[in-house]
């Protein structure tokens, strides 16, 4: 589960790709295994050239 913080509101997502589609790079997001991070940090974990939006196995 991922929790995105935007405009003072928390939104829960089950899938990382949903978070990455909606959020801005500097939006904070809570990742259960890592704690709070910026969305931009999570984008570095995406596989290069993943046009279909599939996250890498380490996220």
């Amino acid at each position: 589960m991922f929790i995105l913080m935007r405009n003072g509101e928390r939104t829960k997502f089950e899938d990382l790709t949903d978070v990455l589609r909606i959020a801005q790079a500097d939006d904070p997001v809570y990742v259960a295994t890592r704690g709070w991070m910026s969305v931009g940090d999570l984008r570095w974990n995406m596989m290069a050239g993943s046009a279909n939006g599939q996250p890498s196995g380490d996220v």
Side-chain angles (χ1 to χ4, degrees):
M1 178 191 326
F2 304 91
I3 300 173
L4 174 66
M5 190 74 148
R6 266 191 116 180
N7 301 324
E9 295 182 22
R10 292 181 183 207
T11 307
K12 293 181 183 179
F13 295 94
E14 292 297 323
D15 190 35
L16 175 60
T17 56
D18 293 333
V19 175
L20 297 177
R21 267 188 244 127
I22 294 169
Q24 299 297 319
D26 59 345
D27 286 341
V29 64
Y30 181 80
V31 181
T33 58
R34 297 182 182 190
W36 286 98
M37 306 177 72
S38 73
V39 172
D41 291 335
L42 291 173
R43 288 185 175 142
W44 283 106
N45 290 322
M46 298 293 287
M47 292 171 41
S50 62
N52 61 2
Q54 296 298 317
S56 64
D58 64 338
V59 175

